[in-house]
Amino acid sequence: MPRWFNTAGPCQEDIHYVLPPTVRLPDLERLIAQRNYFVIHAPRQVGKTTAMLALAKQLTDSGKYTAVMVSAEVGAPFGQDIGGAEDAILGAWRDNISFRLPPELQPPDWTSIQSGQKIRAALQAWAQASPRPLVIFIDEIDALQDQALISILRQLRDAYPNRPQAFPQSVGLIGLRDVRDYKVAAGGSDRLNTSSPFNIKVRSLTLRNFNAEEVAELYAQHTEDTGQVFTPEATALAFELTQGQPWLVNALAKEIVEELVTDESSAITANHILEAKEILIQRQDTHLDSLAERLRENRVKAIIEPILAGQELPESSNDDRQYLVDLGLLRRDPAGGLVIANPIYREVLPRVLAQGPQDSLPIISPSWLNPRGELMTDALLQAFLAFWLQHGEPLLKSASYPEIAPHLVLMAFLHRVINGGGTLEREYAIGRDRMDLCLRYGEVTLGIELKVWRPKKADPLSKGLEQLDGYLARLGQDSGWLVIFDRRENALELEERLKTEIHTTQMGRSVTVIRA
């Protein structure tokens, strides 16, 4: 039977390329042997469900435990209705357990239990009846909220001292977030901010991304099955762009082998990886779309906005910063500091934020192309100046992140320029107060640095020239643009300040400075 790269739901070994699913888990068997309760939280689509299903089967097959993974997701619609949530959850558990465990390990009947104690009583009855110690992994626990969530956490805590004879020996809560970030207010606007309803947990653990060797191992499975080779450069680039995020690793390969390079005698190269990356970003698949949805949350915006602007992070709680790491939006760079989790997300986030201004753009004639379809940078500059003079400031209001509104409007314009014919790459780093853009169109590579002249600050020209010098050196270019957005309250009117100047950097590069 052919196998495929999987981008939806748990992996199934008979039809999917899959790495040994428990390799990336911490040593859970020791925690289970010690009768511990724990939390595993990680971003969506990194393989939590696949790994926990495999671990439960492994534990059961060992003959030592009755182990199963169940889900709390079906209780989510019930909100404050504890009894309704319990009934839905236990019904789903019964169905899944009947499929996943042999007859001798099935739970006893639990249909006549009193509401408000159904989870506790059901697990107690099962633990007492089971011929082996009971181990339960509860997936999607943070799909619950309000009183239903708190009730179930307290039921687990209440009977915890009775393990393993009259309650599960070990319980793992599996979800996106750690306990303190579980939603407890209607609409999910507030958080638990404490572990107290589940203060019996001994550890909060996470599931890491693939490393470079594991990406190569996954792709090698396709080569083994089909003979189609991923070049070492392609595999290395796939890891660099994804930083091993499992959904992205699979999605790139799936797009290539099923759409771009269907001839299995053709090798997959780094250029194919880049082409697939652009398709994924533009298509905004569910994974990337749900990631982008997080940008609306205030606690996410408070940290992402200054990162995109290249500013220092404002004072924020460690919980809020960790929340963005837990969501998979950010990672802690080994060299220090928080950075966007991977280069693909680095592309996705500003593109999503620029969508409002982009949707608001007027029709713009591509006056920057010559009759042969080649980009002319001088014509592009004139088109941008005319666009900014007429539409720039009104469009700033359509940007959802006001601190980087000028950046987003400029990017919206540039996306219109490259539509179907080029790429736009971005770089930014905390504390450097800049965003670098690289526009590639045919044979043209244009390096652009964006700076903001903020109130009570000096003109950023000299710093911008110095920084752009280094950026152009990395791009191998002798010229570029420095765009300075004047956001001071006493700035001249746009008609008076919008102009260009030519400067030469210390390293002899020609820079067109645009004051906007």
Side-chain angles (χ1 to χ4, degrees), residues 150-444:
I150 292 173
S151 171
I152 289 173
L153 293 178
R154 285 178 173 155
Q155 289 179 56
L156 294 173
R157 182 181 67 179
D158 184 53
Y160 170 77
N162 303 333
R163 73 200 193 290
Q165 291 82 10
F167 213 59
Q169 166 155 324
S170 187
V171 172
L173 302 183
I174 320 300
L176 282 177
R177 295 167 283 248
D178 200 356
V179 174
R180 66 178 61 248
D181 275 313
Y182 290 174
K183 295 177 182 177
V184 292
S189 57
D190 292 330
R191 296 171 284 138
L192 204 54
N193 283 320
T194 175
S195 299
S196 61
F198 197 66
N199 59 6
I200 49 177
K201 70 167 186 177
V202 68
R203 295 279 297 280
S204 283
L205 307 160
T206 192
L207 189 65
R208 65 171 175 80
N209 286 337
F210 297 152
N211 58 34
E213 292 75 21
E214 287 164 339
V215 173
E217 182 184 341
L218 186 74
Y219 286 2
Q221 291 181 21
H222 176 73
T223 303
E224 185 179 332
D225 281 14
T226 67
Q228 187 173 39
V229 173
F230 283 81
T231 66
E233 294 77 16
T235 302
L237 181 59
F239 175 73
E240 179 188 335
L241 292 176
T242 64
Q243 291 297 299
Q245 204 287 332
W247 186 89
L248 292 175
V249 170
N250 277 278
L252 284 176
K254 186 177 182 71
E255 183 66 28
I256 292 168
V257 303
E258 294 184 22
E259 304 294 340
L260 299 179
V261 193
T262 55
D263 179 359
E264 292 174 352
S265 65
S266 299
I268 293 164
T269 67
N271 283 337
H272 295 132
I273 298 287
L274 290 173
E275 189 178 352
K277 178 205 77 167
E278 283 299 313
I279 291 170
L280 292 185
I281 291 172
Q282 290 174 20
R283 199 167 60 206
Q284 287 283 297
D285 284 352
T286 304
H287 171 81
L288 298 177
D289 197 43
S290 61
L291 187 83
E293 191 65 26
R294 297 288 180 186
L295 298 176
R296 301 173 186 271
E297 296 181 26
N298 288 334
R299 63 195 299 222
V300 171
K301 179 178 179 179
I303 292 173
I304 291 291
E305 186 171 30
I307 287 179
L308 296 183
Q311 295 180 282
E312 300 283 351
L313 286 182
E315 187 173 337
S316 57
S317 72
N318 187 57
D319 277 356
D320 282 354
R321 295 191 299 276
Q322 186 60 43
Y323 176 64
L324 270 73
V325 174
D326 290 346
L327 287 176
L329 282 167
L330 301 180
R331 64 181 172 88
R332 289 189 165 87
D333 192 286
L338 285 173
V339 295
I340 304 297
N342 58 63
I344 291 181
Y345 288 1
R346 202 168 64 205
E347 290 286 304
V348 168
L349 301 188
R351 283 199 197 197
V352 168
L353 294 171
Q355 194 61 53
Q358 200 166 333
D359 289 343
S360 305
L361 286 184
I363 295 174
I364 307 171
S365 175
S367 56
W368 48 82
L369 298 178
N370 66 20
R372 295 185 300 278
E374 298 164 332
L375 180 70
M376 302 177 293
T377 53
D378 288 344
L380 177 62
L381 176 61
Q382 295 308 312
F384 170 69
L385 293 173
F387 159 79
W388 196 260
L389 184 62
Q390 186 172 358
H391 305 290
E393 292 195 334
L395 283 172
L396 295 180
K397 299 182 180 66
S398 65
S400 56
Y401 277 35
E403 196 65 37
I404 54 169
H407 309 61
L408 298 176
V409 174
L410 172 57
M411 283 190 284
F413 172 80
L414 293 177
H415 278 301
R416 184 66 59 87
V417 171
I418 64 167
N419 187 28
T423 61
L424 187 66
E425 302 157 14
R426 303 154 185 78
E427 289 187 19
Y428 31 77
I430 293 174
R432 293 161 68 191
D433 205 8
R434 62 191 271 202
M435 180 186 288
D436 294 330
L437 305 176
C438 176
L439 186 152
R440 301 184 192 273
Y441 197 105
E443 298 299 313
V444 174

Side-chain angles (χ1 to χ4, degrees), residues 33-89:
Q34 294 172 349
R35 303 179 183 174
N36 287 317
Y37 285 23
F38 54 88
V39 174
I40 292 184
H41 59 91
R44 288 204 182 281
Q45 295 173 306
V46 300
K48 298 187 298 296
T49 303
T50 298
M52 300 312 294
L53 284 168
L55 179 60
K57 185 176 186 305
Q58 183 179 306
L59 292 170
T60 299
D61 289 350
S62 74
K64 295 180 181 178
Y65 302 102
T66 299
V68 69
M69 195 190 78
V70 293
S71 174
E73 187 172 19
V74 294
F78 292 88
Q80 307 286 355
D81 180 4
I82 296 171
E86 290 176 323
D87 286 340
I89 289 168

